[in-house]
């Protein structure tokens, strides 16, 4: 009777997957959203919203800016983790 948990693992039997916070495709999308889309949308809403009489423009702009900062924080943490993993 053998216990599978006690078997030694041999090198090369499992694919090596980097242990980064987010995958590269998600990183690219978050970067695009955080650096281009959300700030541009916030400026658009703050400019056009009052002209069209949209309610709660300030709250919408604040939310869009907060989402942009959140996306930037996620990509920043992932980039730092990637650099640390590659340096190790």
């Amino acid at each position: 009777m053998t216990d599978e948990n006690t078997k030694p693992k041999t090198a090369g039997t499992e694919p090596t997957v980097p242990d980064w916070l987010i995958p590269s495709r998600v990183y690219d999308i978050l970067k695009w959203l955080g650096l281009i889309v959300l700030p541009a949308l916030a400026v658009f809403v703050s400019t056009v919203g009052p002209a069209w009489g949209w309610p709660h423009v300030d709250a919408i702009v604040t939310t869009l800016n907060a989402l942009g900062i959140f996306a930037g924080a996620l990509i920043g943490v992932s980039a730092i983790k990637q650099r640390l993993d590659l340096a190790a």
Side-chain angles (χ1 to χ4, degrees), residues 14-81:
E14 295 180 16
T16 305
V17 178
D19 189 26
W20 300 334
L21 183 62
I22 54 178
S24 63
R25 181 71 178 143
V26 175
Y27 175 88
D28 291 339
I29 292 170
L30 284 175
K31 188 174 178 181
W32 175 72
L33 283 172
L35 295 177
I36 298 171
V37 174
L38 291 172
L41 187 58
V43 170
F44 176 79
V45 169
S46 69
T47 304
V48 175
W52 284 89
W54 293 348
H56 313 294
V57 171
D58 290 340
I60 294 169
V61 170
T62 301
T63 303
L64 290 171
N65 286 326
L67 286 171
I69 291 169
F70 181 68
L74 287 178
I75 62 175
V77 167
S78 181
I80 290 170
K81 179 128 176 64

